[in-house]
Amino acid sequence: THEFRTGIMRRMLALSALVLAVNLLQPASLPPAPASTDASETAPVAVPPPSDKALSYYASGNRLWVTDQVVENGILVIVLFTGLSAVLRRWAQRVGRVWYVTVIVYFVLFATVVWAIRLPLTYYEEFVRQHAYGLSNQTLQKWWTDTVTTLAVSWVAGAVFAIGALAEELAG
């Protein structure tokens, strides 16, 4: 298992280095726009002052961001220190008799638990708040469809990532 952990750490380090390299290789700014003879294109654009509603939306968005960080970290602490992670592991081991299936099942269970705990906050952020500020006309049924689709996509992406991270073990 030590070689397995070392292999995963090497892959994560390589992936981090690749992301950093791609970010560093991107141009610092956009290329200059071609010269234009039209004076209206070079004149500054008048920006209206922000409305009270816009300022309220911005401030509540900042509070929600802090709340999200606290909730996310709290969920991780609770899952780890209450033994819920061990319970999920045991369930995953019962379902997935082979260890790599166990990893995928654990991820699906973990993602579902996090999704369920975050659901009320997600509902407020993505549905209630957007409607309160007049920024959405999405129906509740469409919101539910999008939310469940997001969960399903995270299951598939997590399974693909887990299999990719474990490819060395599967091949060996």
Side-chain angles (χ1 to χ4, degrees), residues 55-77:
L55 291 173
S56 172
Y57 183 81
Y58 174 76
S60 66
N62 287 339
R63 288 189 299 274
L64 279 173
W65 180 84
V66 171
T67 303
D68 279 338
Q69 302 310 306
V70 169
V71 168
E72 288 291 334
N73 288 305
I75 290 170
L76 295 176
V77 166

Side-chain angles (χ1 to χ4, degrees), residues 12-172:
M12 295 301 287
L13 184 60
L15 181 61
S16 298
L18 177 66
V19 169
L20 181 62
V22 167
N23 282 324
L24 291 176
L25 294 175
Q26 291 187 7
S29 62
L30 295 174
S36 173
T37 57
D38 188 7
S40 66
E41 289 184 19
T42 60
V45 176
V47 178
S51 67
D52 289 339
K53 191 175 188 179
L55 291 173
S56 172
Y57 183 81
Y58 174 76
S60 66
N62 287 339
R63 288 189 299 274
L64 279 173
W65 180 84
V66 171
T67 303
D68 279 338
Q69 302 310 306
V70 169
V71 168
E72 288 291 334
N73 288 305
I75 290 170
L76 295 176
V77 166
I78 289 169
V79 167
L80 184 61
F81 292 114
T82 63
L84 181 58
S85 181
V87 170
L88 294 176
R89 183 194 67 223
R90 284 192 297 274
W91 288 354
Q93 287 171 335
R94 281 189 214 134
V95 173
R97 308 237 187 264
V98 183
W99 67 270
Y100 54 88
V101 176
T102 300
V103 171
I104 293 169
V105 171
Y106 177 88
F107 175 79
V108 168
L109 291 171
F110 177 79
T112 304
V113 166
V114 171
W115 177 82
I117 293 170
R118 282 192 44 79
L119 190 59
L121 184 59
T122 302
Y123 170 71
Y124 174 75
E125 289 175 340
E126 296 177 2
F127 189 79
V128 173
R129 181 170 179 256
Q130 300 305 317
H131 282 81
Y133 284 95
L135 299 174
S136 177
N137 61 359
Q138 184 181 42
T139 65
L140 184 59
Q141 179 182 359
K142 176 66 172 129
W143 178 84
W144 269 110
T145 303
D146 289 351
T147 302
V148 172
T149 302
T150 300
L151 176 62
V153 167
S154 73
W155 287 344
V156 172
V160 168
F161 178 77
I163 289 175
L166 303 172
E168 184 177 307
E169 288 294 320
L170 292 174

